[in-house]
Amino acid sequence: AQSVTQPDIHITVSEGASLELRCNYSYGATPYLFWYVQSPGQGLQLLLKYFSGDTLVQGIKGFEAEFKRSQSSFNLRKPSVHWSDAAEYFCAVGPSGGYNKLIFGAGTRLAVHP
Amino acid sequence: NAGVMQNPRHLVRRRGQEARLRCSPMKGHSHVYWYRQLPEEGLKFMVYLQKENIIDESGMPKERFSAEFPKEGPSILRIQQVVRGDSAAYFCASSAGQIQETQYFGPGTRLLVL
């Protein structure tokens, strides 16, 4: 069955520190992979996506992610975290059923200390 | 170019009442997805619709829930005889195509059942 695992429920980092959020997936074919960010009480904003090609993907707000097929992972990274990055981050995989149905992980809540 | 619009943003219902959630996709998008987010959880797929057609409703409870996307007007997610367990955030997403197209999410409707 297709699934997404985000092992870290909560992560706290200091402002200016580097960040890596983990995402592992189970998928029967070449996946499309996404990272979304959700601020409190808001909808989801797409940070970046991987469909094919270069396995290192650049996104908005200084984020990047690397697709590693051998590890079934798509970890999100940022070299220097800003206080405004505090939010919940969701990894998602698709398509499913031949269209863009997304399967989401449970999310990682990021707190940033000044 | 307006994004995905959902209304109402917040909805309070008493047990047994009906909840009607609306979603207007981005201009030019004819594919709509509904997801539900329970407290402290990730998003779970409910239903995928194209104009006038339900393509996949495998994530939607068999009873009390229905969805439509008419030729004219917004997509509607309808919950009849709501129960406390229906309290959640309901997100709508739209895309321009079926595969390899980014889903853009609305701000969500937060339903509270008293």
Side-chain angles (χ1 to χ4, degrees):
Chain A
Q2 297 156 350
S3 65
V4 176
T5 301
Q6 294 181 246
D8 306 303
I9 298 174
H10 291 99
I11 284 185
T12 300
V13 299
S14 298
E15 192 169 16
S18 63
L19 172 70
E20 182 169 28
L21 303 182
R22 296 184 290 166
C23 172
N24 294 97
Y25 65 88
S26 172
Y27 195 79
T30 300
Y32 299 156
L33 294 156
F34 306 82
W35 275 99
Y36 284 88
V37 60
Q38 183 182 33
S39 297
Q42 302 298 313
L44 276 72
Q45 180 182 23
L46 180 69
L47 284 175
L48 46 78
K49 61 188 177 186
Y50 171 79
F51 287 153
S52 65
D54 193 346
T55 56
L56 184 62
V57 180
Q58 302 297 320
I60 62 171
K61 303 185 180 185
F63 285 93
E64 67 177 26
E66 187 171 11
F67 170 54
K68 292 186 177 180
R69 185 188 301 274
S70 61
Q71 299 177 20
S72 297
S73 70
F74 189 57
N75 294 349
L76 182 71
R77 300 193 294 249
K78 186 169 185 177
S80 178
V81 170
H82 188 262
W83 64 266
S84 61
D85 294 323
E88 187 144 25
Y89 292 80
F90 292 97
C91 180
V93 66
S96 179
Y99 40 82
N100 269 338
K101 181 166 72 175
L102 296 180
I103 299 165
F104 283 85
T108 297
R109 190 176 301 274
L110 174 67
V112 180
H113 278 328
Chain B
N1 184 14
V4 178
M5 298 170 64
Q6 290 187 250
N7 66 81
R9 294 289 305 276
H10 299 273
L11 184 60
V12 180
R13 286 286 178 266
R14 297 191 181 280
R15 281 178 296 169
Q17 292 184 319
E18 178 180 288
R20 193 174 290 236
L21 288 60
R22 294 175 184 77
C23 168
S24 296
M26 286 181 68
K27 188 176 181 180
H29 287 189
S30 59
H31 301 255
V32 166
Y33 299 78
W34 285 93
Y35 294 84
R36 178 164 66 174
Q37 184 181 31
L38 294 170
E40 306 300 321
E41 294 187 15
L43 279 73
K44 296 286 195 298
F45 168 80
M46 297 183 74
V47 61
Y48 164 47
L49 311 101
Q50 294 180 25
K51 281 286 187 182
E52 299 185 273
N53 288 303
I54 296 174
I55 307 302
D56 181 353
E57 55 183 349
S58 61
M60 203 154 65
K62 295 287 187 288
E63 297 179 356
R64 301 188 299 107
F65 285 72
S66 62
E68 62 177 12
F69 189 15
K71 186 177 180 181
E72 301 291 339
S75 175
I76 306 286
L77 180 67
R78 186 179 174 211
I79 311 172
Q80 295 178 291
Q81 300 175 329
V82 295
V83 301
R84 289 220 172 105
D86 297 332
S87 295
Y90 293 83
F91 290 95
C92 165
S94 74
S95 68
Q98 199 165 7
I99 291 287
Q100 212 173 66
E101 291 284 346
T102 299
Q103 284 186 38
Y104 294 89
F105 281 80
T109 294
R110 279 143 185 91
L111 172 66
L112 175 62
V113 179
L114 301 177

